[in-house]
Amino acid sequence: MGEYKKINIKAFIFFVFIAVITTTIAACNYTKVKADTTSGDPADLANALATAPRGLDISDPTFRLGEFYMKNYPGLNINAAKVIERNQGADDKTGILRVTNDFNQLGAIWSNIDEANYIDVSRDQTMSMWLYFGRPINSARPKEVGDGMAFVLQNDDRGLGAISAFKEDPAYGETLGVWGADFDNENPKYTVDELIKTSIQKSYAIEFDTFVNSLVQFGQINGKGVSFDSGKTSQHMGMNYPDMTGTYDPRIADATIEKKTYFAMNHIDKAATVTVGGTLNTNNQIVMDNMNLTDANWHHMTVKFTHDTHTLSFDYDDKNLDGTYKAPIKAASTVLDMNHFQLGDSNKLRWGFTGSTGQFMENNLIVFESIPSFVSGDTSASIKNVTKNYTISAGDHVDVGDDLDFTYNLNYESGAKEWSDILASMNLPADVTFHSGSVIYNDDDGNEEEIPLSEYANNKVQHMLSQNLSDTNKKATIVLHTTVNSVDKQTAVGESWAKFASDNLIMNDKAPNFVIDVDALNISTNPSGTVNYRSLDQVPATIPVTGQIWYSKVSTINPSTIKVKSSFNGGAEVTTSATGSIGATAPFSLSIDRSKVHVGQNTLTLYGQDNTGKRTKEITIIFNVGGGLSFGNVSPGVFFKDVNMGYKGEIVTRKPGWQIEVIDGRSNQKGWTLQAKASPLVDDKTSSQLIGEVVHRDDNGMIAPLLDWTNIYSHKKSTDSVETFDVANAWTQNNGVLLQLNGKNMAGVYSGKVEWNLVDSI
């Protein structure tokens, strides 16, 4: 019986052991979880989630959380990193890597080489991400944050277990999880060779240090790592090899009797070049300090590896949250010693992030935007002036009415995934009107989809591509057809931004800026405005008109392509060719024969036009000719209002449309008199004569029949300029020429003739 029990006990212990192993393995995997809003600084975390940009879905085995343990608790992974939800919609798959969120934490996440997530050192690689470093919990104490994060390349034999460690325990604080642990200050045998063993091996790191560890006095050095940033006073970035002796500078703190050894860190490796945002420190080193990382804002970073030169470079804070690019505030590059990673025949270099906190904390968060192992692709944007058949370069000029095609090329290069469910969001300038669009795949006109007008609103087109891009469907060409709107003045149009987002790649691009010209084809004449002649005798036999035409945006013009269209006094349009050779302007000349000129106002209108149909504005030149008296516009047909039979003595008023213009080109104080005579009114069908007559009633109410020439209006000039006077406009409804009935009339339409006579006197 005892033996039987002993066997059962062994079986039970074995079962528990298996359960522990299963639990430990499961901890390596992860899925997105809701954010912890109870520890650390939950208000700041809420701000980070609310403002987080869209990112990639990283809740799958392509990334693995780091695996590291306390010596006394070998089964308990103390990695604080988690992937949390962005919580901005049911379809939002963005995974936010939370590296740390509380005090005394270490966090790490690594690319999973087994799932094709690595830096391929045989190819150019680009990755981009958004970084968030939290804020001081107490704004009155801005330095109480820490400690920061690091972007790490590594080939450490521990793989996912790579982390800074001291005496077999993970090392917190200033190590950021990647640098050596300066924790043995009282041991004179703790040399730099011992220090580098505590770092991540065969690695290179770019650090974002939010807490300045600058204590160097004997009494300050406490075995917790407090001196790496000796001489620094601000948050900063750095880049170096964590496991190389040249990264650390051993120093002695002397208290006369006792001594302590500590290390300062050389933040920039000897091969590095800081191209933006570097300053010279007291040790004659270029550093990237004077930074405010913990400002509760997201910061974009682009990292590139150029395989032929082994160059690692980055641009920090190089994009706004809306996707528009900006000049980075920090940028640097270095030529990596690839032998340092000891890759052998492999081309796979693991990459990831580490981070730590200590007595102070911060929310260290990352949103990935592009990862080459997921999808490697590129985009380009251009504008074609379809009307003039050229591709617009930045600053080029276009004209009102030009048709512009905005074209976006999306290219799939490589990756473990397809570029799927791509939402294209393309901003268009307010100065163009969108008509239609299309997407063509693989340059195959038979493989095309429409972008309807309904997907355009608020100067933006949003379209979900129906096809994924992959090794077999590498290209999508998006074309948006627009027309340049009318503008009142020359208008500068800025760059227009586009975003192409999916759960495995997010890219931004921009179409170039351009200028809309108004009246790009210009004209001037001599004479211009108004020309006055005192009499017809002063008008030359031919009036010469000369001028020139030029382009506002092009320095030369070919006169053979220019025509001038002119019309005199409303006559037929006449075409005149410009003359001369190619130059800055195209000259032209035309003439007006005196026989076409009359006393009074004469009008010449003209405009220029090139062989593409572009026109200048229309020019009007007035020629006033004095010295005579004449009729201007006189209505050829006038009417009285309709009546119903009528009665004796009834006065019938005029219908609208009467006009009797008198043009007086004589000198001041000259006068004239208008006379009128009217025939009887007769019905054309019955030949019956109207019982009544056309009369004139003056301002005093006196009525005079117009049976013979009768003076009906007189006028005297008060200017030497040519004067046009409309007599009908001087009449009221109840005076002037009217119709008086002398009895009842049969129904009919009665007509007759009114004659006008102009007398050169009063």
Side-chain angles (χ1 to χ4, degrees):
M1 180 67 70
E3 185 178 357
Y4 178 77
K5 288 183 179 179
K6 191 179 295 183
I7 294 172
N8 271 339
I9 291 171
K10 287 182 179 179
F12 177 74
I13 294 173
F14 182 73
F15 173 78
V16 173
F17 178 66
I18 293 296
V20 171
I21 291 177
T22 303
T23 302
T24 303
I25 293 174
C28 300
N29 298 314
Y30 63 92
T31 56
K32 291 195 295 287
V33 298
K34 293 189 179 298
D36 178 3
T37 58
T38 60
S39 59
D41 187 354
D44 176 65
L45 181 59
N47 170 69
L49 296 177
T51 59
R54 178 179 174 177
L56 306 187
D57 180 5
I58 59 171
S59 61
D60 59 43
T62 52
F63 279 96
R64 284 290 177 89
L65 298 178
E67 302 170 17
F68 42 90
Y69 312 89
M70 300 295 290
K71 179 175 56 177
N72 294 328
Y73 300 92
L76 179 63
N77 186 357
I78 63 168
N79 185 4
K82 292 185 181 298
V83 177
I84 59 178
E85 298 174 344
R86 180 166 170 255
N87 292 327
Q88 293 194 14
D91 298 328
D92 185 5
K93 297 180 182 179
T94 299
I96 300 178
L97 172 60
R98 191 203 71 193
V99 181
T100 65
N101 76 318
D102 212 334
F103 300 91
N104 299 308
Q105 289 184 333
L106 270 177
I109 192 170
W110 298 112
S111 63
N112 189 350
I113 291 179
D114 295 334
E115 292 292 331
N117 186 5
Y118 51 84
I119 299 292
D120 185 344
V121 298
S122 67
R123 305 179 63 175
D124 290 351
Q125 307 273 264
T126 299
M127 60 190 70
S128 60
M129 68 248 7
W130 293 91
L131 307 174
Y132 187 93
F133 303 100
R135 65 171 187 180
I137 294 179
N138 185 343
S139 60
R141 298 177 179 176
K143 294 185 178 182
E144 292 187 358
V145 286
D147 279 83
M149 292 189 288
F151 169 83
V152 184
L153 306 177
Q154 57 106 337
N155 188 35
D156 193 302
D157 294 340
R158 293 172 292 177
L160 301 179
I163 200 72
S164 301
F166 182 72
K167 294 183 178 179
E168 300 182 46
D169 279 337
Y172 295 77
E174 73 176 359
T175 70
L176 301 183
V178 64
W179 305 113
D182 183 17
F183 291 178
D184 202 359
N185 306 116
E186 296 185 4
N187 181 4
K189 296 181 180 181
Y190 193 64
T191 64
V192 69
D193 291 324
E194 295 298 318
L195 175 72
I196 61 176
K197 295 177 184 178
T198 65
S199 69
I200 293 181
Q201 302 298 289
K202 294 180 282 187
S203 66
Y204 191 87
I206 301 173
E207 73 162 8
F208 309 87
D209 197 336
T210 60
F211 183 80
V212 180
N213 299 97
S214 59
L215 303 181
V216 297
Q217 300 300 316
F218 182 89
Q220 297 172 326
I221 299 172
N222 56 12
K224 296 182 180 180
V226 293
S227 309
F228 273 179
D229 304 319
S230 173
K232 286 188 176 295
T233 59
S234 63
Q235 296 178 347
H236 54 273
M237 292 180 64
M239 51 195 300
N240 217 324
Y241 298 89
D243 57 331
M244 288 187 69
T245 57
T247 302
Y248 308 95
D249 182 13
R251 298 180 183 180
I252 300 294
D254 193 340
T256 305
I257 299 176
E258 297 182 82
K259 294 181 180 180
K260 290 183 180 180
T261 302
Y262 70 93
F263 295 89
M265 196 172 89
N266 296 318
H267 287 80
I268 305 295
D269 85 71
K270 293 180 180 179
T273 300
V274 180
T275 53
V276 176
T279 58
L280 199 65
N281 69 7
T282 55
N283 297 323
N284 208 33
Q285 289 182 319
I286 296 293
V287 295
M288 291 177 287
D289 52 8
N290 299 319
M291 298 182 71
N292 181 22
L293 296 167
T294 52
D295 60 354
N297 287 310
W298 288 93
H299 299 272
H300 188 267
M301 182 172 177
T302 303
V303 181
K304 295 182 179 181
F305 175 78
T306 305
H307 82 282
D308 56 348
T309 60
H310 303 153
T311 298
L312 179 72
S313 62
F314 71 83
D315 289 333
Y316 175 78
D317 224 4
D318 61 340
K319 191 188 291 189
N320 298 306
L321 266 177
D322 62 4
T324 57
Y325 289 97
K326 63 178 181 177
I329 66 170
K330 303 289 180 185
S333 64
T334 189
V335 176
L336 293 175
D337 177 7
M338 299 307 295
N339 293 324
H340 179 75
F341 298 106
Q342 301 178 31
L343 292 175
D345 295 332
S346 173
N347 63 336
K348 303 174 182 179
L349 184 59
R350 194 186 305 274
W351 68 279
F353 276 87
T354 63
S356 68
T357 61
Q359 62 176 320
F360 304 121
M361 60 77 56
E362 65 195 25
N363 287 302
N364 281 319
L365 308 171
I366 304 168
V367 170
F368 294 102
E369 189 180 60
S370 67
I371 296 172
S373 62
F374 278 21
V375 176
S376 179
D378 63 38
T379 64
S380 63
S382 63
I383 308 174
K384 181 178 181 180
N385 189 321
V386 179
T387 302
K388 299 182 177 64
N389 193 29
Y390 71 91
T391 299
I392 293 174
S393 298
D396 277 354
H397 290 240
V398 303
D399 297 317
V400 172
D402 282 356
D403 291 326
L404 306 182
D405 279 358
F406 287 72
T407 301
Y408 308 88
N409 293 305
L410 281 61
N411 297 298
Y412 179 93
E413 293 178 344
S414 62
K417 301 172 180 286
E418 294 186 346
W419 193 359
S420 58
D421 299 326
I422 305 170
L423 177 62
S425 301
M426 297 152 289
N427 290 300
L428 290 173
D431 305 288
V432 303
T433 296
F434 172 72
H435 301 298
S436 63
S438 62
V439 184
I440 300 174
Y441 295 95
N442 271 348
D443 295 325
D444 180 5
D445 291 339
N447 191 4
E448 182 177 352
E449 68 192 37
E450 177 190 4
I451 298 178
L453 191 60
S454 60
E455 294 184 345
Y456 171 73
N458 300 320
N459 302 319
K460 178 186 284 188
V461 175
Q462 281 197 312
H463 179 75
M464 178 69 75
L465 273 62
S466 65
Q467 298 182 26
N468 297 344
L469 299 187
S470 63
D471 285 329
T472 58
N473 191 30
K474 282 185 169 293
K475 185 177 181 181
T477 302
I478 303 172
V479 182
L480 306 180
H481 305 294
T482 72
T483 300
V484 178
N485 297 338
S486 179
V487 293
D488 296 329
K489 59 183 179 181
Q490 189 179 70
T491 302
V493 178
E495 296 169 333
S496 47
W497 290 88
K499 183 176 185 179
F500 309 99
S502 76
D503 291 327
N504 43 39
L505 180 63
I506 298 173
M507 301 200 74
N508 299 89
D509 218 318
K510 59 182 178 180
N513 63 305
F514 56 89
V515 178
I516 303 174
D517 282 332
V518 177
D519 292 329
L521 192 62
N522 303 288
I523 185 172
S524 66
T525 63
N526 182 30
S528 62
T530 300
V531 180
N532 293 311
Y533 296 103
R534 292 185 64 83
S535 66
L536 275 173
D537 294 339
Q538 288 188 328
V539 178
T542 56
I543 303 175
V545 177
T546 61
Q548 53 189 6
I549 293 173
W550 70 96
Y551 287 110
S552 61
K553 66 177 183 177
V554 180
S555 58
T556 59
I557 188 170
N558 186 351
S560 66
T561 65
I562 302 298
K563 305 293 184 185
V564 178
K565 311 284 187 176
S566 61
S567 174
F568 188 69
N569 284 339
E573 190 172 76
V574 177
T575 300
T576 304
S577 298
T579 59
S581 57
I582 295 175
T585 63
F588 67 88
S589 62
L590 51 91
S591 60
I592 303 167
D593 192 271
R594 182 169 58 187
S595 63
K596 297 181 179 180
V597 179
H598 59 68
V599 172
Q601 180 173 294
N602 300 265
T603 302
L604 173 68
T605 58
L606 68 160
Y607 64 91
Q609 184 173 327
D610 67 11
N611 57 356
T612 69
K614 181 184 295 298
R615 292 173 53 157
T616 70
K617 66 181 179 180
E618 188 173 84
I619 297 288
T620 300
I621 307 174
I622 303 296
F623 299 94
N624 285 326
V625 180
L629 183 68
S630 65
F631 283 108
N633 294 322
V634 178
S635 302
V638 293
F639 301 89
F640 295 101
K641 291 187 176 180
D642 299 335
V643 295
N644 186 13
M645 295 180 67
Y647 56 87
K648 185 175 182 179
E650 182 178 359
I651 298 296
V652 182
T653 57
R654 300 175 303 277
K655 284 187 176 181
W658 288 64
Q659 186 176 28
I660 311 149
E661 280 187 347
V662 177
I663 300 175
D664 192 349
R666 300 169 303 162
S667 61
N668 188 22
Q669 297 303 307
K670 294 289 186 178
W672 49 264
T673 297
L674 179 65
Q675 297 178 333
K677 180 173 70 171
S679 67
L681 303 183
V682 177
D683 187 337
D684 292 338
K685 292 183 178 180
T686 64
S687 300
S688 300
Q689 183 173 317
L690 182 75
I691 303 173
E693 56 201 2
V694 179
V695 300
H696 177 268
R697 181 156 69 181
D698 63 21
D699 293 340
N700 297 319
M702 299 297 295
I703 295 176
L706 300 184
L707 301 176
D708 206 347
W709 291 109
T710 304
N711 296 340
I712 64 171
Y713 200 85
S714 294
H715 179 73
K716 181 184 287 187
K717 287 187 66 180
S718 59
T719 178
D720 282 327
S721 299
V722 177
E723 181 182 68
T724 300
F725 190 92
D726 189 345
V727 176
N729 282 344
W731 296 334
T732 67
Q733 183 179 3
N734 297 313
N735 66 12
V737 177
L738 302 167
L739 177 63
Q740 180 175 275
L741 301 180
N742 295 325
K744 294 182 179 180
N745 288 274
M746 299 295 294
V749 178
Y750 298 83
S751 61
K753 181 172 66 175
V754 177
E755 298 179 72
W756 312 102
N757 186 41
L758 194 57
V759 179
D760 187 2
S761 68
I762 293 182

